[in-house]
């Protein structure tokens, strides 16, 4: 068993971190292969981890950023081991991370231990009561889809960036706060802009800057700290205002939404000095749910349209299956999923080739342990490279190729693949996985039934290079919308 030593960490840092933070001319060149997003992008640490680091150092790479140790994990076997083992389920704790949560450890994304277990269990249980993963959520998703399609019919060309923001937030917010906003609401559009700014300011280097403040000095252009904090304050004020409105309307035995249930729990435990249910905790929980849900749903749907305009043959095959199985007399529903294997395969391939979260939120080791023959000390921060599992050549053969058929058997039936883990696996799996899959299926299938999407003749061919961020997104592109 070998320890990840300081010498090894410094070696990896000096060899590769400069390319990641600043890059060389070669690294800054645009990829000519549209099927392999961001191949030479120096802003995507997951590509460096999956490429030169994995090849030269193996699946576990020790780094020193400032004085803090960091382990970068790539490759399917090491990644799956980290995600499935309880001793790697911790989260980093630092002053920078606590900035987003009133200088405390709150919420469910960046906490661990008994607090995390209690609040994750509470959140999952009560979100289900208000539609999370249930039939009632389908009705909200379809209503949002119908409204979006009405708007799209009035436009010949649509800017895809931001197109799905309002529907995605409305679906999630209807469960959290029992409210849906008009798609043309100016104040809500401003809020969504702040939400987008918050996520776009969190590049992979920015994520690490929350753990290692030194990055704000050596790479301020990547950290975007001031912009991120301004957006965070706007979101916090919005959540606080909504909570106060809920307090005024709260009925003891008639909770309307998740926020009401949380406030009731606060009231029930107000005499308990050890209660973990607080207004600040609810604000951070709302931020976490938006972080895990709204932005990721919107960007995943944008990637769906991107790959349809890039691969018109696939788009035609999707439309043919929808027409054959469902026709045009009714809208697709979740009950149709098992009867639409090519649709399911296409969504799976989009999720594989360009995942919206190529690296998980940072993990930490909860005790001294071992990984791939290395000793990992307690409280070591770990970056887990989901991308490396989804693009493992040994498993996928041609991971750079967009090919939905890889998820179909000889009879054309959809085949699940245990390596398709865009939402992670284990206890830290994304709690919004079911909702995300339902929304992707319903909105994508309904849009394919109603429209054909192409790149406008006057526009450049869109790139698959993803924008960096806390959650990645397609670079801005437009589509020509044609009713079928």
């Amino acid at each position: 068993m070998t320890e990840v030593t300081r010498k090894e960490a410094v070696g990896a840092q000096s060899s590769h971190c400069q390319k990641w933070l600043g890059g060389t001319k070669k690294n800054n060149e645009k990829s000519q292969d549209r099927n392999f997003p961001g191949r030479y992008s120096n802003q995507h640490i997951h590509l460096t981890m999956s490429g030169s680091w994995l090849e030269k150092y193996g699946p576990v790479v020790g780094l020193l950023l400032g004085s803090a140790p960091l382990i970068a994990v790539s490759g399917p076997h090491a990644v799956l081991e980290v995600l499935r083992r309880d001793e790697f389920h911790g989260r980093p704790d630092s002053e920078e991370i606590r900035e987003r949560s009133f200088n405390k450890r709150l919420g469910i994304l960046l906490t661990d231990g008994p607090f995390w277990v209690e609040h994750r269990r509470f959140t999952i249980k009560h979100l289900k009561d208000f539609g999370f993963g249930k039939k009632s959520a389908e009705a909200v998703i379809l209503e949002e889809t119908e409204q979006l399609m009405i708007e799209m019919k009035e436009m010949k060309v649509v800017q895809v960036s931001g197109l799905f923001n309002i529907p995605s937030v409305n679906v999630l917010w209807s469960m959290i706060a029992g409210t849906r906003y008009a798609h043309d609401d100016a104040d809500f559009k401003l809020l969504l802009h702040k939400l987008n700014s918050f996520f776009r300011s969190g590049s992979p280097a920015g994520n690490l800057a929350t753990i290692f403040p030194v990055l704000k000095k050596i790479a301020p252009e990547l950290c975007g700290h001031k912009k991120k904090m301004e957006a965070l304050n706007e979101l916090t004020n919005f959540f606080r205002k909504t909570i106060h409105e809920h307090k005024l309307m709260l009925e003891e035995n008639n909770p309307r939404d998740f926020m009401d249930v949380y406030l009731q729990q606060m009231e029930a435990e107000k005499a308990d000095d050890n209660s973990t249910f607080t207004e600040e905790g609810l604000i951070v929980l709302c931020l976490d749910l938006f972080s895990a849900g709204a932005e990721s749903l919107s960007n995943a749907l944008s990637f769906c349209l991107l790959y349809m305009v890039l691969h018109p043959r696939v788009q035609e095959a999707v439309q043919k299956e929808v027409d054959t199985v469902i026709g045009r007399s009714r809208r697709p529903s979740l009950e149709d999923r098992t009867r639409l294997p090519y649709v399911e395969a296409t969504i799976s391939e989009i999720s594989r080739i360009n995942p919206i979260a190529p690296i998980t939120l940072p993990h930490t080791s909860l005790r001294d342990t071992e990984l791939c023959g290395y000793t990992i000390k307690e409280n070591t921060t770990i970056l887990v490279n989901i991308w490396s599992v989804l693009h493992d050549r040994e498993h996928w053969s041609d991971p750079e190729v967009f090919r939905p058929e890889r998820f179909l058997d000889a009879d054309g039936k959809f085949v699940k693949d245990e390596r398709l883990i865009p939402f992670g696996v284990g206890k830290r799996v994304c709690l919004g996985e079911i909702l995300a899959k339902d929304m992707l299926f319903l909105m994508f299938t309904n849009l394919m039934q109603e429209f054909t999407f192409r790149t406008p003749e006057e526009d450049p061919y869109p790139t698959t290079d993803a924008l960096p961020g806390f959650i990645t997104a397609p670079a801005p592109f437009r589509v020509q919308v044609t009713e079928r």
Side-chain angles (χ1 to χ4, degrees):
M1 185 166 61
T2 308
E3 184 173 349
V4 178
T5 65
R6 181 179 179 87
K7 181 178 180 181
E8 288 172 324
V10 172
Q13 182 185 29
S14 61
S15 297
H16 296 285
C17 281
Q18 289 181 350
K19 292 182 180 179
W20 165 28
L21 295 173
T24 63
K25 182 176 180 180
K26 180 179 179 181
N27 280 0
N28 284 325
E29 292 173 355
K30 294 289 186 181
S31 169
Q32 298 302 311
D33 183 354
R34 295 190 180 98
N35 286 321
F36 198 168
R39 177 173 290 181
Y40 301 114
S41 174
N42 64 357
Q43 298 186 67
H44 294 301
I45 180 63
H46 60 274
L47 297 178
T48 301
M49 289 170 63
S50 299
S52 56
W53 288 9
L54 182 60
E55 181 179 351
K56 184 173 183 179
Y57 296 102
V60 181
V61 178
L63 304 169
L64 283 178
L65 295 181
S67 61
L70 171 72
I71 302 297
V73 177
S74 297
H77 301 294
V79 166
L80 291 171
E81 186 172 350
V82 169
L83 294 180
R84 288 169 174 160
R85 286 171 54 183
D86 289 351
E87 60 265 42
F88 292 122
H89 288 166
R91 292 295 194 209
D93 183 19
S94 70
E95 179 181 345
E96 299 303 316
I97 287 179
R98 292 184 183 221
E99 278 184 338
R100 71 187 290 279
S101 54
F102 305 98
N103 297 314
K104 303 173 184 177
R105 297 200 80 187
L106 300 173
I108 55 176
L109 286 187
L110 295 171
T111 54
D112 52 36
F115 179 95
W116 170 68
V117 172
E118 179 184 21
H119 282 260
R120 180 182 170 87
R121 184 180 295 128
F122 178 91
T123 301
I124 293 174
K125 177 182 183 299
H126 292 293
L127 279 178
K128 285 182 178 178
D129 293 339
F130 297 102
F132 208 71
K134 290 189 175 182
K135 190 73 175 176
S136 55
E138 180 175 9
V140 177
I141 296 170
L142 289 175
E143 188 173 352
E144 286 297 322
T145 305
E146 286 292 342
Q147 180 59 43
L148 178 63
M149 291 194 298
I150 290 172
E151 296 167 7
M152 294 175 71
K153 288 177 181 178
E154 299 176 356
M155 300 178 282
K156 293 183 178 180
V157 176
V158 177
Q159 171 58 251
V160 176
S161 299
L163 178 65
F164 299 106
N165 284 359
I166 291 179
S168 299
V169 170
N170 267 341
V171 169
L172 194 60
W173 200 234
S174 67
M175 301 176 197
I176 297 173
T179 303
R180 294 174 62 240
Y181 288 84
H183 286 206
D184 59 354
D185 188 296
D187 291 337
F188 194 50
K189 285 185 175 181
L190 180 61
L191 172 70
L192 292 176
H193 175 71
K194 294 295 182 181
L195 184 66
N196 183 262
S197 296
F198 180 70
F199 291 114
R200 294 278 66 74
S201 63
S203 69
N207 290 340
L208 290 176
T210 62
I211 308 168
F212 308 107
V214 67
L215 287 180
K216 287 189 279 189
K217 296 181 179 180
I218 65 175
E221 71 282 357
L222 295 181
C223 293
H225 183 67
K226 180 179 179 181
K227 182 179 180 182
K228 181 175 69 174
M229 294 308 296
E230 289 175 350
L232 175 62
N233 289 335
E234 292 279 351
L235 292 170
T236 297
N237 291 336
F238 172 76
F239 295 140
R240 193 186 303 277
K241 179 177 180 238
T242 306
I243 290 169
H244 288 174
E245 291 171 352
H246 270 62
K247 286 182 176 180
L248 295 175
M249 303 290 290
L250 190 63
E251 296 181 21
E252 184 176 352
N253 297 315
N254 186 32
R256 301 159 296 171
D257 47 51
F258 177 79
M259 196 171 282
D260 273 359
V261 172
Y262 193 101
L263 290 171
Q264 288 180 345
Q265 191 70 19
M266 284 174 53
E267 181 66 20
E269 297 186 14
K270 66 179 181 181
D272 183 359
D273 293 338
N274 296 318
S275 174
T276 60
F277 290 84
T278 65
E279 182 174 311
E280 289 182 345
L282 179 54
I283 290 172
V284 177
L285 184 53
C286 288
L287 180 64
D288 283 353
L289 291 172
F290 268 72
S291 301
E295 180 79 358
S296 58
L297 284 169
S298 176
N299 294 348
L301 286 162
S302 297
F303 275 121
C304 285
L305 290 195
L306 173 65
Y307 280 93
M308 290 304 93
V309 299
L310 293 177
H311 300 274
R313 177 192 63 80
V314 175
Q315 183 175 189
E316 291 172 6
V318 167
Q319 291 170 331
K320 181 179 179 181
E321 183 176 71
V322 172
D323 291 346
T324 301
V325 174
I326 299 173
R328 308 300 298 276
S329 61
R330 66 172 180 87
R331 293 299 186 195
S333 71
L334 291 177
E335 294 178 353
D336 297 312
R337 178 178 281 166
T338 57
R339 303 166 60 220
L340 297 170
Y342 193 81
V343 170
E344 192 79 348
T346 299
I347 295 173
S348 296
E349 179 67 345
I350 294 169
S351 301
R352 182 201 66 80
I353 199 168
N354 221 325
I356 55 174
I359 292 181
T360 69
L361 284 171
H363 290 235
T364 57
S365 50
L366 296 174
R367 60 178 182 269
D368 289 358
T369 188
E370 178 185 336
L371 178 66
C372 297
Y374 291 90
T375 296
I376 309 298
K377 296 296 186 181
E378 182 180 359
N379 292 325
T380 299
T381 299
I382 305 167
L383 286 187
V384 186
N385 189 356
I386 293 287
W387 174 279
S388 67
V389 180
L390 302 175
H391 284 257
D392 176 42
R393 187 169 298 279
E394 187 174 317
H395 180 78
W396 302 103
S397 178
D398 53 354
E400 73 281 1
V401 175
F402 180 74
R403 185 165 57 84
E405 291 78 9
R406 72 175 76 246
F407 292 101
L408 299 174
D409 65 14
D411 298 322
K413 295 181 179 179
F414 178 73
V415 179
K416 292 183 179 181
D417 193 303
E418 63 177 9
R419 295 290 179 85
L420 183 66
I421 57 166
F423 299 95
V425 293
K427 293 180 180 178
R428 282 288 184 179
V429 67
C430 175
L431 62 84
E433 179 178 5
I434 295 175
L435 177 64
K437 288 181 176 179
D438 287 352
M439 188 165 178
L440 279 173
F441 174 81
L442 286 170
M443 294 200 76
F444 176 70
T445 308
N446 276 275
L447 288 171
M448 291 295 100
Q449 182 190 54
E450 192 70 17
F451 302 112
T452 294
F453 299 95
R454 298 183 179 88
T455 301
E457 291 185 5
E458 66 273 19
D459 285 10
Y461 208 58
T463 177
T464 57
D465 288 5
L467 297 177
F470 177 73
I471 295 170
T472 62
F477 71 102
R478 301 193 309 165
V479 294
Q480 179 181 316
V481 182
T482 304
E483 288 188 60
R484 299 182 63 219

